[in-house]
Amino acid sequence: MCVNYLPANRQQLREHFGVTPPDNDWPDECWQDHAAPILLLDNNGQLQAYAANYGFIPRRHQRDGMRLTTLNARDDTVALRPTWREAWQRGQLCLVPMQAFFEPCYEAGRAVRHRIALADGQPFAVAGLWRRWQEPDGSSSLAFAQLTINADDHPLMRRMHRPGEEKRSLVIVPRGQYGRWLGCRQPASAARLLLPYPAGLMADCPAPLRPAPAAQPFTPDLFGADPPPA
């Protein structure tokens, strides 16, 4: 499953998604515990961008000795596992705006990282889940995970991951469905929106792996405007 991706940049947030970028900086390539933008609905039902931690349980909130990786929530267990269950039941859905994501392909007999994006080169958004964390100084922060679905029959995504493993895919949300996804508060209805994206509208190519950068310091004071409702 996806463990790093290319977030949308500030210009893309403004021009493609129609939102004001958050004040926080974020890296060009995002890995666990980096800050990255997510999209939520504000109190007026309009798209708004917030900075959030990539990883549902940030390492700073994990007990000593724990090394949980909470980047991806499976559609078949999101309602059951304690990590995700409350946020899923409460409809804390988000969109993760990005330019591309990366997956390993073994068609060459070894893992080759592939860049997966839209065929037209436009930025896109994938379905995610968010939660709030209280920080020691009394402020609050956001964290997020991506949702994944089975991709055993998807013409493109079934080519990814190790042979013999279940194939999984992020859920690309069509642009016309942003409001419907973010406004959904019924888990059963949200589950029905977790659909595969047409392979003919996607493209992939080999992409060399760059070393993961150190996680940037994460500023808990994220909201700027009115924070989203709990």
Side-chain angles (χ1 to χ4, degrees):
M1 291 183 286
C2 178
V3 297
N4 82 297
Y5 70 97
L6 303 180
N9 59 39
R10 292 181 178 278
Q11 181 177 353
Q12 290 167 336
L13 289 177
R14 293 189 186 95
E15 296 180 359
H16 185 83
F17 296 100
V19 298
T20 300
D23 293 336
N24 302 68
D25 292 327
W26 59 90
D28 294 336
E29 188 165 337
C30 189
W31 298 77
Q32 182 173 353
D33 282 306
H34 288 164
I38 61 171
L39 304 179
L40 304 173
L41 292 180
D42 65 16
N43 295 329
N44 297 314
Q46 301 298 310
L47 277 183
Q48 186 163 343
Y50 298 90
N53 185 86
Y54 182 31
F56 211 62
I57 305 178
R59 284 178 177 160
R60 66 182 182 278
H61 286 286
Q62 296 182 23
R63 297 192 302 271
D64 290 344
M66 292 182 66
R67 289 295 182 268
L68 295 178
T69 300
T70 53
L71 305 178
N72 300 291
R74 294 174 58 104
D75 66 320
D76 53 356
T77 59
V78 67
L80 304 174
R81 293 189 179 277
T83 298
W84 324 109
R85 184 172 55 214
E86 181 177 355
W88 177 250
Q89 293 295 330
R90 296 178 68 175
Q92 292 175 194
L93 309 178
C94 67
L95 290 168
V96 185
M98 61 180 68
Q99 304 172 58
F101 59 93
F102 299 96
E103 300 284 8
C105 179
Y106 284 80
E107 291 175 338
R110 59 183 176 84
V112 177
R113 192 177 78 146
H114 275 227
R115 182 185 190 273
I116 301 168
L118 296 191
D120 62 7
Q122 292 295 307
F124 56 96
V126 305
L129 198 64
W130 69 272
R131 66 159 293 173
R132 188 194 307 274
W133 287 94
Q134 292 300 126
E135 302 297 336
D137 64 0
S139 64
S140 64
S141 67
L142 298 181
F144 72 96
Q146 300 154 147
L147 285 155
T148 71
I149 57 175
N150 179 274
D152 286 342
D153 297 323
H154 192 274
L156 190 155
M157 296 306 300
R158 71 185 180 191
R159 297 171 46 213
M160 305 299 151
H161 297 287
R162 193 184 303 274
E165 292 183 349
E166 181 192 5
K167 311 304 180 181
R168 304 290 298 179
S169 176
L170 299 183
V171 179
I172 298 176
V173 179
R175 192 170 183 178
Q177 297 291 313
Y178 288 176
R180 185 181 178 192
W181 169 252
L182 292 175
C184 187
R185 294 294 177 266
Q186 298 299 321
S189 299
R192 288 193 290 270
L193 298 178
L194 298 174
L195 300 172
Y197 200 73
L201 300 179
M202 301 168 67
D204 75 298
C205 62
L209 179 64
R210 295 186 296 174
Q216 296 183 352
F218 190 79
T219 305
D221 185 13
L222 302 179
F223 300 115
D226 292 334

